[in-house]
Amino acid sequence: MRVNRILLSSALVVVALVVQVSVLSRLHLPGAVPDLLLLTVLGLAMVYGHVGGALVGFGAGLLADLAPPADHAAGRYALVLCVIGYLAGLIKPENGRLKSATGPMVVVVVAAIGTTLLYAGVGALVGDTAARHVGLGSLLFTAALYDLLLAPFVVPGIMALARRAENDPLADSGSQAKKTDISSGWLSGGTGLRIGGQRGGLGGLKVKAVRARTARAGRIKGVKRL
């Protein structure tokens, strides 16, 4: 991942986790808690693609596993968000822009349900049966509902910030300058001309041409005199 992606993803993930832990988890809503961290991962994955989505998901999940008041095994949520980020990144279009909001909303619902199921499944493998006592059906319904209601206020903004960071004009100008330098070096190696200093090189050629003409004219005049 590029530096601008890492910086933007890290900042958004940290802000989302702080808001989720300090605000959303204290609302005491029935059922699940609105997963702002999941929506952040989805928004970034639908711009960065499956590889970037998997990396962002793993980092976000690991941070959530280690941040208090986490009461589960470290790496559990990292695995879940890594898988979800990878799958969400598969729907990324070639130009990074989605034509309608239907696709992202479907992705949010499927991701909310999938995250809950995967989290409960991994918990069952490590001996955590808390989901059974709470009720898996109510968790699935409330998780999908809360995330779907919160998504229009989060996912478009996340995707817009990610696209803006991807289309950084400074990065584009730097890459263009690099291409020009590479082309110049290639031409200079094949022709012996210094493309980077065309003014100096062409000036030297002109001076040599003038001197050659002067010398030729002097020789011709000398012949005529004789």
Side-chain angles (χ1 to χ4, degrees), residues 20 24-25 27 29 32-37 39 142-143 146-147 150:
Q20 181 168 329
L24 297 179
S25 61
L27 296 177
L29 297 174
V33 176
D35 201 338
L36 184 60
L37 196 61
L39 297 178
T142 54
Y146 296 154
D147 291 347
L150 189 61

Side-chain angles (χ1 to χ4, degrees), residues 42-133:
L42 292 178
L44 294 173
M46 286 187 283
V47 176
Y48 294 159
H50 58 283
V51 176
L55 293 175
V56 172
F58 179 81
L62 186 61
L63 186 62
D65 289 332
L66 300 177
D71 56 353
H72 54 269
R76 180 176 171 183
Y77 202 46
L79 175 62
V80 173
L81 286 187
C82 180
V83 174
I84 296 299
Y86 179 86
L87 295 177
L90 293 176
I91 72 167
K92 173 197 172 185
E94 294 182 358
N95 58 357
R97 297 181 180 273
L98 299 172
K99 297 181 179 180
S100 65
T102 304
M105 292 300 101
V106 173
V107 171
V108 169
V109 174
V110 174
I113 296 175
T115 300
T116 305
L117 291 176
L118 284 175
Y119 188 81
V122 175
L125 292 177
V126 297
D128 186 1
T129 59
R132 297 180 181 179
H133 303 289

Side-chain angles (χ1 to χ4, degrees), residues 128-189:
D128 186 1
T129 59
R132 297 180 181 179
H133 303 289
V134 176
L136 186 59
S138 62
L139 284 178
L140 292 174
F141 176 76
T142 54
L145 178 62
Y146 296 154
D147 291 347
L148 186 61
L149 293 176
L150 189 61
F153 304 98
V154 177
V155 176
I158 297 294
M159 296 180 68
L161 288 174
R163 291 197 198 102
R164 186 172 182 179
E166 288 292 283
N167 299 326
D168 188 0
L170 295 178
D172 293 340
S173 61
S175 62
Q176 187 67 23
K178 186 176 181 181
K179 291 179 182 177
T180 304
D181 293 338
I182 292 173
S183 302
S184 302
W186 184 21
L187 291 174
S188 63

Side-chain angles (χ1 to χ4, degrees), residues 189-209:
T191 62
L193 297 177
R194 296 180 59 185
I195 305 299
Q198 280 188 342
R199 294 183 179 178
L202 292 177
L205 292 176
K206 290 180 179 179
V207 171
K208 290 181 180 179

